PDB file of all heavy atoms in Angstrom:
ATOM      1  N   PHE A  55     175.766 126.135 144.709  1.00 98.00           N
ATOM      2  CA  PHE A  55     175.691 124.975 143.826  1.00 98.00           C
ATOM      3  C   PHE A  55     176.784 125.003 142.761  1.00 98.00           C
ATOM      4  O   PHE A  55     177.266 123.941 142.337  1.00 98.00           O
ATOM      5  CB  PHE A  55     174.301 124.898 143.189  1.00 98.00           C
ATOM      6  CG  PHE A  55     173.218 124.572 144.168  1.00 98.00           C
ATOM      7  CD1 PHE A  55     172.346 125.558 144.614  1.00 98.00           C
ATOM      8  CD2 PHE A  55     173.081 123.294 144.676  1.00 98.00           C
ATOM      9  CE1 PHE A  55     171.350 125.262 145.528  1.00 98.00           C
ATOM     10  CE2 PHE A  55     172.093 122.982 145.589  1.00 98.00           C
ATOM     11  CZ  PHE A  55     171.226 123.972 146.023  1.00 98.00           C
ATOM     12  N   TYR A 233     190.652 106.701 130.810  1.00 97.00           N
ATOM     13  CA  TYR A 233     191.404 105.767 131.656  1.00 97.00           C
ATOM     14  C   TYR A 233     191.972 104.550 130.937  1.00 97.00           C
ATOM     15  O   TYR A 233     192.972 103.986 131.389  1.00 97.00           O
ATOM     16  CB  TYR A 233     190.527 105.312 132.834  1.00 97.00           C
ATOM     17  CG  TYR A 233     190.346 106.399 133.852  1.00 97.00           C
ATOM     18  CD1 TYR A 233     189.214 107.206 133.837  1.00 97.00           C
ATOM     19  CD2 TYR A 233     191.329 106.665 134.802  1.00 97.00           C
ATOM     20  CE1 TYR A 233     189.057 108.236 134.757  1.00 97.00           C
ATOM     21  CE2 TYR A 233     191.177 107.675 135.737  1.00 97.00           C
ATOM     22  CZ  TYR A 233     190.040 108.464 135.701  1.00 97.00           C
ATOM     23  OH  TYR A 233     189.901 109.486 136.617  1.00 97.00           O
ATOM     24  N   VAL A 249     185.339 101.454 142.037  1.00 96.00           N
ATOM     25  CA  VAL A 249     184.655 102.727 142.290  1.00 96.00           C
ATOM     26  C   VAL A 249     183.183 102.489 142.601  1.00 96.00           C
ATOM     27  O   VAL A 249     182.634 103.046 143.565  1.00 96.00           O
ATOM     28  CB  VAL A 249     184.805 103.675 141.081  1.00 96.00           C
ATOM     29  CG1 VAL A 249     183.873 104.884 141.209  1.00 96.00           C
ATOM     30  CG2 VAL A 249     186.250 104.138 140.950  1.00 96.00           C
TER      31      VAL A 249
END
Side-chain angles (χ1 to χ4, degrees):
F55 292 105
Y233 287 97
V249 169

